[in-house]
Amino acid sequence: MQIYLMKRVFSIIPVLIIVSIIVFTLIHLIPGDPARTILGQEASGEQIENLREEMGLNKSIVTQYFVWITGIFKGDLGTSYFSNQPVSEILFQYLGATLSLAIYAQILALVIAIPLGILAARKKGTIIDQILTSASLFGISLPSFLSGLFLVMIFGVLLKWLPVAGYKPLDQGIIEHIKYLTLPAVSLGLLQAALITRMTRSSMLEILGQNFIRTAKAKGAKEQRIIYYHALRNAFIPILTVIGQSFASLVAGAAVVETIFNIPGIGQLIVNSVTRRDYSVIQGIVLFITVCYVFINLFIDVLYSIIDPRVRLSSKRS
C-alpha cells in the first residue's frame, strides 16, 4: 500500500510543474494591462510605467514565472494587484462558500443517483428503466444555469419557499445556510446526478450478468444481499471515478451558478479577477483548483486499492 501511494504521489509532481507553466503562460497572454486597469484611463504613460516596474511586470515572463513558482514553494501565492492582499488570504475568504455549495450538491447528487441507477439496472427493459434513462439523458442535456433559472422562477418567485439569491455563512445558523444553498446546490447537482445515474446503471448491468451473481442466486442468496453486497461492491470502481470527477467539476465549475445566485465563492472571485486583470489572483485560483483535481484523483486512486485489492497487487508487480 505504501509503495502504491508513493508511486502515485511522485507521479503527480511533473503534472503540477507542467500545469503551473501552462497556467502562468496562458494568463499572461490575456489581453489587457493590470497597471492601466488599476490607475484608470486618465493615468499618464509615466505613471503606468512606474506601476508596472513596481509590480514586476517589466521583467521577462521567464523571470516572473520563477519569482512566482519560488514563492509558491515557500507557501506564498503572491499578492493581489488590485487589493494588495495576499492571494492565499483572499482565496480562503471565498473558499468556504464554494466548498459548502460543492459538498451539498455532491450529497444531493449521490442520494438521487445511486438508488435510481440501481433501480434502473434491476428493472432493465421495463417502463421504469426507460423513464429513468430518459430523465438522466435530459439531466445531462440541461445546463446548470438554465435549471438554476427555472428553480428560481418556481421555488423562489412563484412559491416563495426559498430565497432567490444570496448567501448566509454557516456561523449564522445551519438552517439559514442550507436554505440559501438549496437552489444553487440542486441546479449544480442535477447534472452530476444524471451522470452518476447512467454510470451506476451501466456498471450494475455489467456485474449482474457475471457468473458469480448467477452462482449466488443459485445458492439462494437474498436479492438485497446480491444487489448491495456482491453487485454494487464490484460495480463501484467506475462509479467512484465519476464521483471523484464530478466533485472536482463542482468545485471548478460553480462560477456560473455562483454568479446567478450571487454567492461569494471562488467562481465569483475568478470572474471579478479576470475583469480587473488581477493576474496573481487568477494564477493562484487556477493552480489551487488544479491541485484540488490532482489530489481528489489521488484520493480516488487510494480508494480503488482499498475497495479492490487487485489494483494494489497489479501496481506492486509492475
Side-chain angles (χ1 to χ4, degrees), residues 214-288:
R214 295 192 192 97
T215 305
K217 286 179 181 173
K219 289 170 77 175
K222 290 182 179 175
E223 188 182 2
Q224 298 294 323
R225 182 173 174 81
I226 291 172
I227 295 291
Y228 293 102
Y229 183 76
H230 296 293
L232 184 59
R233 188 178 174 188
N234 284 280
F236 207 67
I237 282 192
I239 300 170
L240 193 60
T241 306
V242 176
I243 292 172
Q245 289 174 352
S246 71
F247 185 70
S249 304
L250 288 171
V251 174
V256 177
V257 171
E258 284 178 1
T259 305
I260 291 172
F261 289 95
N262 194 26
I263 297 173
I266 295 287
Q268 201 177 77
L269 179 61
I270 291 177
V271 173
N272 292 338
S273 302
V274 169
T275 308
R276 298 166 180 163
R277 304 291 187 275
D278 201 342
Y279 291 163
S280 52
V281 175
I282 304 170
Q283 287 165 188
I285 296 169
V286 176
L287 189 69
F288 173 78

Side-chain angles (χ1 to χ4, degrees), residues 54 96 98-99 130 236 294-295:
E54 191 182 319
T98 298
L99 271 185
Q130 289 171 7
F236 207 67
V294 170
F295 278 95

Side-chain angles (χ1 to χ4, degrees), residues 101-117 185-186 188-197 200 242-243 246-247 250:
L101 178 60
I103 291 170
Y104 191 8
Q106 186 72 78
I107 291 171
L108 286 176
L110 291 178
V111 168
I112 295 168
I114 302 283
L116 291 185
V186 171
L188 261 183
L190 279 179
L191 175 62
Q192 307 305 327
L195 286 170
I196 297 170
T197 301
T200 305
V242 176
I243 292 172
S246 71
F247 185 70
L250 288 171

Side-chain angles (χ1 to χ4, degrees), residues 16-67:
L16 290 176
I17 292 172
I18 292 168
V19 166
S20 72
I21 294 170
I22 294 172
V23 166
F24 189 88
T25 308
L26 286 178
I27 287 171
H28 279 73
L29 290 176
I30 296 174
D33 185 351
R36 182 172 288 281
T37 307
I38 292 169
L39 294 175
Q41 295 300 322
E42 303 299 323
S44 66
E46 187 183 353
Q47 287 174 317
I48 292 170
E49 199 57 30
N50 288 339
L51 186 57
R52 284 182 60 81
E53 186 66 32
E54 191 182 319
M55 294 162 74
L57 294 173
N58 283 337
K59 294 175 183 168
S60 70
I61 193 164
V62 178
T63 308
Q64 289 183 53
Y65 172 76
F66 278 107
V67 169

Side-chain angles (χ1 to χ4, degrees), residues 51-310:
L51 186 57
R52 284 182 60 81
E53 186 66 32
E54 191 182 319
M55 294 162 74
L57 294 173
N58 283 337
K59 294 175 183 168
S60 70
I61 193 164
V62 178
T63 308
Q64 289 183 53
Y65 172 76
F66 278 107
V67 169
W68 178 61
I69 203 74
T70 308
I72 287 173
F73 280 117
K74 294 176 185 172
D76 179 14
L77 288 173
T79 304
S80 166
Y81 295 155
F82 190 80
S83 64
N84 208 26
Q85 280 182 282
V87 173
S88 53
E89 198 176 292
I90 299 172
L91 192 61
F92 283 107
Q93 282 174 6
Y94 286 82
L95 184 61
T98 298
L99 271 185
S100 292
L101 178 60
I103 291 170
Y104 191 8
Q106 186 72 78
I107 291 171
L108 286 176
L110 291 178
V111 168
I112 295 168
I114 302 283
L116 291 185
I118 293 172
L119 181 63
R122 290 175 67 181
K123 305 290 182 185
K124 182 190 171 189
T126 63
I127 187 70
I128 294 174
D129 180 28
Q130 289 171 7
I131 290 172
L132 291 175
T133 304
S134 303
S136 62
L137 189 60
F138 178 71
I140 291 171
S141 311
L142 189 66
S144 296
F145 74 89
L146 196 56
S147 60
L149 292 175
F150 281 134
L151 290 169
V152 167
M153 183 63 72
I154 296 168
F155 296 100
V157 177
L158 295 178
L159 300 175
K160 299 186 187 305
W161 288 354
L162 293 165
V164 295
Y167 173 72
K168 294 282 183 188
L170 196 54
D171 55 14
Q172 292 188 22
I174 190 163
I175 302 293
E176 285 296 304
H177 185 66
I178 290 175
K179 199 172 158 184
Y180 274 84
L181 283 181
T182 296
L183 290 183
V186 171
S187 65
L188 261 183
L190 279 179
L191 175 62
Q192 307 305 327
L195 286 170
I196 297 170
T197 301
R198 290 179 71 83
M199 179 54 72
T200 305
R201 178 186 178 275
S202 62
S203 299
M204 286 293 289
L205 282 178
E206 188 181 337
I207 296 299
L208 288 173
Q210 300 283 327
N211 287 334
F212 73 93
I213 296 292
R214 295 192 192 97
T215 305
K217 286 179 181 173
K219 289 170 77 175
K222 290 182 179 175
E223 188 182 2
Q224 298 294 323
R225 182 173 174 81
I226 291 172
I227 295 291
Y228 293 102
Y229 183 76
H230 296 293
L232 184 59
R233 188 178 174 188
N234 284 280
F236 207 67
I237 282 192
I239 300 170
L240 193 60
T241 306
V242 176
I243 292 172
Q245 289 174 352
S246 71
F247 185 70
S249 304
L250 288 171
V251 174
V256 177
V257 171
E258 284 178 1
T259 305
I260 291 172
F261 289 95
N262 194 26
I263 297 173
I266 295 287
Q268 201 177 77
L269 179 61
I270 291 177
V271 173
N272 292 338
S273 302
V274 169
T275 308
R276 298 166 180 163
R277 304 291 187 275
D278 201 342
Y279 291 163
S280 52
V281 175
I282 304 170
Q283 287 165 188
I285 296 169
V286 176
L287 189 69
F288 173 78
I289 290 172
T290 307
V291 170
C292 285
Y293 255 106
V294 170
F295 278 95
I296 287 171
N297 280 309
L298 175 65
F299 180 66
I300 296 295
D301 285 348
V302 173
L303 286 182
Y304 285 166
S305 65
I306 293 170
I307 293 171
D308 189 349
R310 290 172 297 180

